[in-house]
Amino acid sequence: MALVIFITFLISFLSFDGFECKNLGGSAELINHNNEAISVAKTVYGDIYDCIDIYKQPAFNHPALSNHKIQMSFWKEWEEKRKLMSRNHTTTKFNPKDLWLEGRGCPKGTVPIRQMTKEQQKRALRADQALKYPSLATGPILDFAGITVNADPGKKYGAAQAVINIYNPKVVGPGHYSSATIAIESGENQIQMGWIVHPQLYGDYRTRLYSSWTADNSRSTGCFNNNCPGFVVLSRDMPLDYAFPSISQPEEQQYDSLIGLALVNGTGEWLLVFEFNTVIGYWPNSILPNLASGAETIRWGGQVFTPPSDDTSSQMGSGLFRNGQRRITCYMRQVTYDETISPDKSSLQTHDSRCYYEGYNFYDKDSYWAYSFLFGGKGGKDGVTCIY
């Protein structure tokens, strides 16, 4: 049975989002959303968003969503489950006042879609090419360090979440990225979400929220965030490329955020949730049919992408791996799936990759940590042994 996580429903704050992929010319003029923008919202980081009518969001440009109805009927059920789940999770809550210059996002009935020049959009679309590489790899192009659980035959998972430590790893160059990721998979369908440093995708080196999806292992479908139609957004305050305001430093104050995915009972829609008070949106079952009944595999950990033309990889997590030292090494805590189930050593696989490691994974009776693990590494030249 799918169990959803930690969601505060404030219906007056809900709205929806998407982004249409187009081949555009090379001039660096601002891309406006024609007459669809009702107003403009600006963040404290200088990002500018057009506020688009919720029913005209580009998500509906996906051919499978031409007759899709925005899902609202499940919110009462989720609010009840959120109250239950939030008792077991300790983290902060998202406050729109910390992000938007005017203390709020878009007006009711609209969604924020980031303004981009044509050149910025072309770079973002090129970033999607990184998704074609296998998601569970050991380098040299895509490295993963973390844990995996696989459902028993005939069973599937209906939720995945964790409180993720927020860092800003050093990324070698524009074509590289480093992320802390939760991923669910079933057949060729996959969803990823977490935080990422991806200068090609975002145009800066900030640590930002991200998501991605594909229906066919990225052969011809899927993208990051709103780079293509499909994801339906349910928040007028929380953009998919949210820049985290507080970043951890080794041996200094640590910051973290709860991020999760949850299957809507009876609909096959997967919700993307952030902290206890924000439902960002959902992936309709018509674009990810293999995931409509649940996930066969869940992964938690760090990923680093290195372009094939480069032989130097970026940092993962804090850029350090010190096993057992949570104030130095990036962590995920309160790792759970389905009905608040925590992984145990008999049900999971652990993964290291070249210069990146996973460790210190166990269940702590302290509810602040519950099930947790560490991951990270400094990266470097291919073929060089990393000593920590």
Side-chain angles (χ1 to χ4, degrees), residues 248-320:
S248 305
Q249 297 292 333
E251 297 189 292
E252 296 181 16
Q253 184 170 354
Q254 300 299 298
Y255 300 93
D256 54 28
S257 291
L258 188 147
I259 303 174
L261 289 163
L263 182 64
V264 182
N265 290 327
T267 72
E269 326 283 358
W270 279 91
L271 292 177
L272 173 59
V273 298
F274 181 76
E275 301 296 8
F276 293 118
N277 63 335
T278 305
V279 182
I280 299 175
Y282 66 95
W283 289 269
N285 61 36
S286 55
I287 66 171
L288 296 170
N290 293 343
L291 279 166
S293 58
E296 297 171 341
T297 300
I298 304 175
R299 296 185 291 110
W300 297 263
Q303 288 187 158
V304 168
F305 176 77
T306 306
S309 59
D310 204 330
D311 66 351
T312 302
S313 57
S314 301
Q315 294 180 348
M316 177 187 289
S318 69
L320 299 169

Side-chain angles (χ1 to χ4, degrees), residues 70-306:
I70 294 172
Q71 299 296 310
M72 298 295 290
S73 60
F74 44 70
W75 293 113
K76 183 177 180 181
E77 175 188 353
W78 293 158
E79 173 62 6
E80 292 302 314
K81 292 181 177 180
R82 181 206 65 80
K83 290 177 181 177
L84 261 164
M85 296 297 295
S86 63
R87 297 173 187 172
N88 301 321
H89 290 272
T90 305
T91 186
T92 57
K93 292 184 178 181
F94 169 66
N95 187 345
K97 294 181 179 180
D98 297 332
L99 176 63
W100 301 99
L101 279 178
E102 296 183 1
R104 60 175 179 79
C106 287
K108 281 200 292 187
T110 67
V111 56
I113 295 182
R114 189 177 178 184
Q115 288 187 357
M116 301 173 72
T117 65
K118 292 181 179 180
E119 186 58 36
Q120 287 172 329
Q121 191 180 47
K122 286 167 64 177
R123 287 199 303 267
L125 296 178
R126 285 198 296 269
D128 291 340
Q129 297 302 308
L131 296 173
K132 70 181 181 179
Y133 293 97
S135 57
L136 186 57
T138 57
I141 296 173
L142 185 63
D143 292 280
F144 174 76
I147 63 173
T148 300
V149 295
N150 294 292
D152 294 332
K155 296 183 178 181
K156 290 188 176 183
Y157 303 122
Q161 61 271 346
V163 179
I164 306 177
N165 201 190
I166 310 299
Y167 272 97
N168 183 249
K170 293 181 180 179
V171 173
V172 172
H176 299 241
Y177 75 72
S178 181
S179 69
T181 296
I182 303 173
I184 60 170
E185 301 170 1
S186 188
E188 294 189 333
N189 293 185
Q190 182 195 79
I191 296 171
Q192 293 187 30
M193 54 29 170
W195 61 251
I196 196 169
V197 179
H198 197 328
Q200 187 176 58
L201 179 62
Y202 295 121
D204 60 34
Y205 286 80
R206 292 190 178 101
T207 302
R208 291 179 178 264
L209 189 71
Y210 92 100
S211 69
S212 70
W213 68 273
T214 176
D216 62 357
N217 285 336
S218 295
R219 289 194 304 275
S220 62
T221 67
C223 59
F224 283 108
N225 298 341
N226 304 123
N227 285 357
C228 62
F231 181 78
V232 179
V233 172
L234 299 174
S235 174
R236 68 186 179 104
D237 288 319
M238 185 71 176
L240 272 173
D241 56 0
Y242 168 71
F244 287 90
S246 301
I247 303 298
S248 305
Q249 297 292 333
E251 297 189 292
E252 296 181 16
Q253 184 170 354
Q254 300 299 298
Y255 300 93
D256 54 28
S257 291
L258 188 147
I259 303 174
L261 289 163
L263 182 64
V264 182
N265 290 327
T267 72
E269 326 283 358
W270 279 91
L271 292 177
L272 173 59
V273 298
F274 181 76
E275 301 296 8
F276 293 118
N277 63 335
T278 305
V279 182
I280 299 175
Y282 66 95
W283 289 269
N285 61 36
S286 55
I287 66 171
L288 296 170
N290 293 343
L291 279 166
S293 58
E296 297 171 341
T297 300
I298 304 175
R299 296 185 291 110
W300 297 263
Q303 288 187 158
V304 168
F305 176 77
T306 306

Side-chain angles (χ1 to χ4, degrees), residues 23-43:
N23 291 322
L24 299 169
S27 62
E29 63 185 83
L30 189 66
I31 295 177
N32 292 314
H33 297 93
N34 301 320
N35 297 323
E36 296 180 355
I38 294 174
S39 62
V40 172
K42 298 180 181 180
T43 73

